[in-house]
């Protein structure tokens, strides 16, 4: 249970959620960002549906003294369709509480 709590805490600590409509899109984005080795399965977190996958990464923003890190995770809805996406996204946002969310993928214009 402690491992599940620490994984949930890790996801909650990341301010940016990049969410896709399809799991395949999330995987493609994770490969593009080279973050596939940093993966958490929804199976490991009781509050999250077991079908979800989370790929963890960090963007470096700014230069010199203004250089900062922005931690994020990439995930997706479990089923295609606007209603399914809205339902899954709202549950994830309710549990994980990201400060920012970006919808990426085919339907979002990726």
């Amino acid at each position: 249970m402690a491992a599940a709590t620490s994984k949930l805490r890790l996801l909650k600590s990341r301010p940016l959620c990049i969410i896709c409509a399809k799991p395949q899109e999330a995987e493609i984005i994770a490969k593009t960002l080279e973050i596939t080795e940093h993966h958490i399965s929804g199976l490991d977190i009781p509050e999250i549906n077991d079908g979800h996958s989370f790929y963890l990464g960090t963007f470096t923003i700014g230069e010199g003294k203004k250089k900062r890190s922005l931690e994020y995770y990439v995930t997706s809805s479990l089923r295609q369709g606007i209603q399914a996406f809205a339902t899954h996204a709202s549950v994830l946002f309710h549990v994980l509480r990201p400060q920012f969310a970006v919808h990426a993928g085919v339907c979002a214009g990726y």
Side-chain angles (χ1 to χ4, degrees):
M1 188 67 166
T5 302
S6 66
K7 289 180 181 181
L8 179 61
R9 191 172 294 136
L10 177 65
L11 288 170
K12 284 184 168 187
S13 72
R14 293 174 179 260
L16 175 61
C17 169
I18 300 173
I19 188 165
C20 305
K22 297 170 26 178
Q24 298 90 333
E25 293 172 337
E27 191 173 332
I28 289 168
I29 290 172
K31 285 179 183 176
T32 301
L33 296 172
E34 299 178 355
I35 58 169
T36 55
E37 68 277 0
H38 306 290
H39 178 264
I40 295 177
S41 170
L43 289 168
D44 298 333
I45 305 170
E47 292 87 348
I48 304 291
N49 187 299
D50 59 2
H52 285 284
S53 290
F54 300 90
Y55 300 95
L56 310 177
T58 304
F59 290 126
T60 302
I61 302 170
E63 296 179 6
K65 292 182 180 179
K66 294 186 178 187
K67 193 174 191 177
R68 292 184 22 173
S69 295
L70 176 62
E71 294 183 322
Y72 64 92
Y73 55 90
V74 179
T75 192
S76 69
S77 175
L78 299 177
R79 292 188 328 172
Q80 203 170 354
I82 189 122
Q83 293 87 357
F85 178 84
T87 301
H88 288 128
S90 65
V91 169
L92 286 175
F93 295 163
H94 178 75
V95 172
L96 300 177
R97 303 267 189 216
Q99 286 179 286
F100 309 101
V102 175
H103 181 201
V106 174
C107 294
Y110 176 79

